[in-house]
């Protein structure tokens, strides 16, 4: 019905290209337009002004001979003031953009190692965008944005990279664990040394207290019982300690069997051995 009355509707974000007897005549913007076909005028086609996206997957090789698939996302749109160029000069816009993307990526990536390719993907995207802007502006298209959305090495290469990273992390974890064990051993050794030092102080003080007590006992006994010597007092102390020891051994329910002399003469033998040991030590010094 619109063609019958020579009326044409152009939708929003779209322009229509009008021809007059096969020659470009005008660009019709959104709205209703009169195109009298009886005078040789017609609509050659429509051109969208919306932003379009094209994902390009390009296989190439890095400097260290690793094949990768680089996925680039190109966002572009036609310029309304160059709609005639965008409509007439390119027969396949997506194929043209894809060709330029292939050219730039395959010229840039082989100059980089695999790790550098991941790190410099923004630079690769800028190089692609710069080349596309220069080429596509002549055809009435604007490059809105270019992104390198993915870099996919070969599956075996990815597996090897993951193994390398895992080994590095395990090595780091082992180093940290060894360092922690070292610190624990040092702290444990310091604690044991401090414990032994304090234990030694306690034993020394205990022995000093025993010696002081024995000295006071000997002196007090000699004063209170005239005619006794220090030897008599020491023998009496040894007898007392001997019986105390026997009592403790007997009262302990889980003590191992201990065989010791139990006659009264054993005290004299013990005392003689102690005195002989002390005398020999003094003679040697």
């Amino acid at each position: 019905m619109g063609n019958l009355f020579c009326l044409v509707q152009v939708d929003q974000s779209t322009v229509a290209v009008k021809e007059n007897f096969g020659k470009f005549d005008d660009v019709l913007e959104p709205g209703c337009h009169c195109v009298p076909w009886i005078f040789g005028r017609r609509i050659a086609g429509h051109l969208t002004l919306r932003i379009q996206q094209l994902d390009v997957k390009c296989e190439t090789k890095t400097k260290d001979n690793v094949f990768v698939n680089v996925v680039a996302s190109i966002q572009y749109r036609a310029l309304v003031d160059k709609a005639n160029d965008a409509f007439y000069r390119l027969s396949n816009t997506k194929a043209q953009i894809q060709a330029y993307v292939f050219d730039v990526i395959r010229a840039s990536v082989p100059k980089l190692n695999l790790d550098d390719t991941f790190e410099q993907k923004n630079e690769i995207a800028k190089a692609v965008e710069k080349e596309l802007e220069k080429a596509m502006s002549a055809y009435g298209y604007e490059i809105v944005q270019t992104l390198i959305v993915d870099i996919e090495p070969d599956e075996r290469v990815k597996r090897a990279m993951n193994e390398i990273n895992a080994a590095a992390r395990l090595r780091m974890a082992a180093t940290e664990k060894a360092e922690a064990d070292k610190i624990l051993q040092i702290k444990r050794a310091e604690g044991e040394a401090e414990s032994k030092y304090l234990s030694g102080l306690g034993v020394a003080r205990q022995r000093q207290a025993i010696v002081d007590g024995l000295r006071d006992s000997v002196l007090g006994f000699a004063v209170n019982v005239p005619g006794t010597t220090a030897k008599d007092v020491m023998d009496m102390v040894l007898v007392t300690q001997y019986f105390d020891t026997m009592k403790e051994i007997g009262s302990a329910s889980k003590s191992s069997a201990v065989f010791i002399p139990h006659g009264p003469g054993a005290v004299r033998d013990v005392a003689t051995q102690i005195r002989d040991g002390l005398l020999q030590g003094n003679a040697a010094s």
Side-chain angles (χ1 to χ4, degrees), residues 249-267:
I249 293 174
S251 62
S253 60
K254 295 183 180 180
S255 298
S256 300
V258 179
F259 298 93
I260 58 174
H262 62 282
V267 179

Side-chain angles (χ1 to χ4, degrees), residues 71-105:
V71 181
S73 180
I74 313 300
Q75 297 176 356
Y76 65 98
R77 66 183 174 187
L79 298 173
V80 64
D81 55 340
K82 293 184 178 181
N84 58 331
D85 292 331
F87 186 80
Y88 287 105
R89 297 191 64 181
L90 286 179
S91 60
N92 192 333
T93 305
K94 293 184 178 181
Q96 186 78 7
I97 292 176
Q98 188 177 41
Y100 281 110
V101 173
F102 280 177
D103 181 65
V104 176
I105 289 178

Side-chain angles (χ1 to χ4, degrees), residues 2-7 21 34-42:
N3 290 334
L4 180 62
F5 293 99
C6 301
L7 297 178
F21 291 105
C34 179
V35 182
W37 54 270
I38 57 176
F39 297 112
R41 295 183 177 89
R42 71 181 188 94

